[in-house]
Amino acid sequence: MDARKKRILVTGGAGFIGSHLCEQLLNDGHEVICLDNFFTGSKQKVVHLLDNPYFELVRHDIIMPYYIEVDEIYNLACPASPVHYQYNPIKTIKTSVMGSINMLGLAKRVKAKILQASTSEVYGDPELHPQPESYWGNVNPIGVRSCYDEGKRCAESLFVNYYSQNHVPIKIVRIFNTYGPKMEPDDGRVVSNFIVQALKNEDITIFGDGLQSRSFQYVDDLVEGFKRMMKTPDEFIGPVNIGNPNEFTMLELAQRIIELTGSRSKIVYLPLPEDDPIQRKPDISLAKEKLDGWEPKIQLEEGLTKTISYFDELLKIS
């Protein structure tokens, strides 16, 4: 095995983001072990990789220990959309907490570097805008979203304590809203919801007044941020925000998608869900400084066009 080829474990590797990461790591010449219990992931997302001799797919739940020799671990396993993580909240917490303990234990034993895919949800409904990594957040610890928010916050704590106590080389990234091909049409995320509704000429449902804002990042930009974070010196552990700082309201997003799809959809308004953040926007100055000048390359119109094309094909097949 040459010096740059690594054995890399990706937990949640058959999910939306994980499948893109597996593909990129293989393209970079690495050997990839994709671990997934298929709770929200799908074999379909990685089936095209199965013929690659350097790719291995393993059905496993990281709530249970897993033993393997690897150089690096990307810990992405966890339901990430409200529909999925609220479906089984105890399972969600277990994946974040027990799953992190198991993966950190593995990293400690085999001396692997491990990256935690954390989330902008650790900031809750932020009172500081945009959100820098130094902001501690405004989270409801007993709300409907707490299984995810607090699970991910606890995972970050576990990671930094394994680093300080056991010298495990860790990296923490906080992912902001990400979209792109391989999203599930029914995952409850706003981009996939709007695109599917628009392609079917159904009413586009906006929660609240539509003036709440988000920043939308195309998946390829996120994967590039992951890889750059993994290459940073061991003493830099993060957390680092990875997201697109361009901000759009839900209404602007819906109107943009209607235009790009040529849809006949009308916009309808529904009550805002509990604890839904009003604003979410990353401060990415730390990422630019530490990740070799990283910043998003694919802006909303280009990313939406690619994603709409994916869903258009998917809906034709189904």
Side-chain angles (χ1 to χ4, degrees):
M1 189 179 286
D2 66 61
R4 73 179 194 87
K5 185 190 273 292
K6 298 186 177 84
R7 293 192 79 211
I8 301 176
L9 175 65
V10 180
T11 74
F16 157 50
I17 294 169
S19 57
H20 283 276
L21 177 61
C22 287
E23 205 167 87
Q24 285 296 318
L25 294 172
L26 286 167
N27 289 344
D28 293 343
H30 301 299
E31 186 177 340
V32 175
I33 299 95
C34 168
L35 209 67
D36 208 295
N37 68 348
F38 303 122
F39 178 59
T40 57
S42 156
K43 196 176 286 187
Q44 193 61 40
K45 288 184 174 60
V46 292
V47 71
H48 64 295
L49 304 176
L50 291 174
D51 288 338
N52 189 321
Y54 296 107
F55 180 75
E56 190 177 339
L57 177 60
V58 180
R59 182 190 289 265
H60 184 83
D61 191 326
I62 63 165
I63 288 173
M64 305 301 293
Y66 182 68
Y67 303 98
I68 192 171
E69 295 282 335
V70 289
D71 303 300
E72 293 178 350
I73 303 167
Y74 288 84
N75 188 37
L76 274 60
C78 191
S81 71
V83 168
H84 289 142
Y85 66 65
Q86 290 171 16
Y87 171 75
N88 190 338
I90 293 170
K91 175 83 170 171
T92 298
I93 296 168
K94 282 182 171 181
T95 303
S96 283
V97 177
M98 295 165 66
S100 291
I101 290 169
N102 286 329
M103 288 302 113
L104 286 160
L106 173 62
K108 179 186 171 187
R109 280 191 299 276
V110 302
K111 296 181 167 49
K113 189 186 298 185
I114 181 168
L115 180 144
Q116 166 66 358
S118 191
T119 172
S120 60
E121 296 291 338
V122 300
Y123 299 123
D125 188 3
E127 294 172 334
L128 182 63
H129 192 77
Q131 294 83 55
E133 291 84 353
S134 57
Y135 178 53
W136 289 359
N138 175 39
V139 175
N140 177 358
I142 56 171
V144 294
R145 302 168 77 103
S146 65
C147 59
Y148 187 66
D149 302 353
E150 297 291 28
K152 289 287 191 177
R153 284 161 70 98
C154 184
E156 287 195 15
S157 177
L158 283 163
F159 267 71
V160 296
N161 284 296
Y162 265 79
Y163 171 74
S164 59
Q165 188 174 327
N166 297 320
H167 311 295
V168 174
I170 67 157
K171 307 289 175 185
I172 300 172
V173 297
R174 289 175 177 163
I175 303 170
F176 280 69
N177 281 56
T178 303
Y179 69 97
K182 299 188 187 176
M183 295 177 85
E184 290 293 331
D186 59 352
D187 68 3
R189 288 182 169 104
V190 65
V191 173
S192 48
N193 275 2
F194 285 4
I195 289 175
V196 170
Q197 288 168 338
L199 288 171
K200 291 181 174 180
N201 293 304
E202 296 173 353
D203 289 343
I204 288 183
T205 49
I206 287 182
F207 295 98
D209 58 11
L211 300 181
Q212 67 271 38
S213 67
R214 294 290 185 275
S215 306
F216 300 103
Q217 163 178 239
Y218 191 69
V219 65
D220 289 358
D221 288 326
L222 173 63
V223 168
E224 179 62 26
F226 276 174
K227 294 194 301 179
R228 290 194 191 193
M229 181 63 177
M230 198 60 111
K231 290 176 183 171
T232 55
D234 283 357
E235 61 271 16
F236 179 68
I237 64 171
V240 177
N241 290 335
I242 304 286
N244 190 320
N246 292 331
E247 196 174 8
F248 298 89
T249 67
M250 297 298 99
L251 192 54
E252 287 172 328
L253 177 69
Q255 289 165 340
R256 188 76 62 93
I257 287 171
I258 288 171
E259 286 168 19
L260 290 171
T261 55
S263 176
R264 300 187 301 276
S265 295
K266 304 267 191 303
I267 294 172
V268 298
Y269 297 87
L270 296 174
L272 198 63
E274 183 186 338
D275 294 335
D276 194 52
I278 300 302
Q279 286 183 308
R280 191 62 69 65
K281 174 182 175 177
D283 178 334
I284 62 166
S285 49
L286 186 63
K288 285 183 178 178
E289 177 195 343
K290 298 291 189 179
L291 306 186
D292 195 25
W294 177 89
E295 60 183 329
K297 295 281 189 286
I298 297 173
Q299 297 307 329
L300 191 65
E301 189 145 330
E302 182 187 353
L304 284 178
T305 302
K306 293 180 178 186
T307 311
I308 287 164
S309 175
Y310 166 79
F311 276 114
D312 196 26
E313 286 300 312
L314 192 69
L315 294 174
K316 281 175 186 168
I317 294 166
S318 59

